[in-house]
Amino acid sequence: MSSIAGSRWVITGAAGNIGAALRSALLERHAVLVSTDIRPITPSTPQESVAEVDLADLEALTELFAGADGVVHLGGIADEADFHDLAEAPTSSGPTTCSRPHGGPG
């Protein structure tokens, strides 16, 4: 198994329960973290920085993800919707950062 020590990871939704557990696990392995959420987060070590970023802000996300070795996307709004509403929802809206080739936007 390869070491992630020194690699830079961005975690969206880092203020949630799963995000907090993942932050702790990655920091124990000496990863460098950028933890982001729309809720305030306090960095737990010097290896962690925080950013209050809205996932709807593509420009801010693109800047935040630049130079990251990995992104763990846990952010979102948990809500129930009728299946028919979901089936009819457009699929082309929202951030497309994850579908872009490694190395930057475009």
Side-chain angles (χ1 to χ4, degrees):
M1 182 148 104
S2 65
S3 173
I4 62 167
S7 60
R8 183 175 178 268
W9 287 80
V10 178
I11 303 174
T12 68
N17 292 332
I18 296 171
L22 182 59
R23 288 168 58 209
S24 178
L26 288 174
L27 288 168
E28 285 176 8
R29 289 163 180 79
H30 305 287
V32 177
L33 292 186
V34 179
S35 298
T36 182
D37 206 303
I38 58 172
R39 294 182 289 170
I41 305 169
T42 302
S44 56
T45 74
Q47 294 147 235
E48 181 179 28
S49 61
V50 299
E52 199 170 315
V53 175
D54 188 329
L55 293 178
D57 186 343
L58 182 57
E59 186 175 324
L61 287 177
T62 300
E63 184 177 321
L64 190 69
F65 295 165
D69 294 301
V71 175
V72 179
H73 176 54
L74 300 172
I77 298 173
D79 194 12
E80 296 290 327
D82 182 81
F83 172 77
H84 296 94
D85 293 338
L86 294 174
E88 295 172 9
T91 58
S92 62
S93 63
T96 57
T97 305
C98 294
S99 66
R100 294 185 179 165
H102 183 69

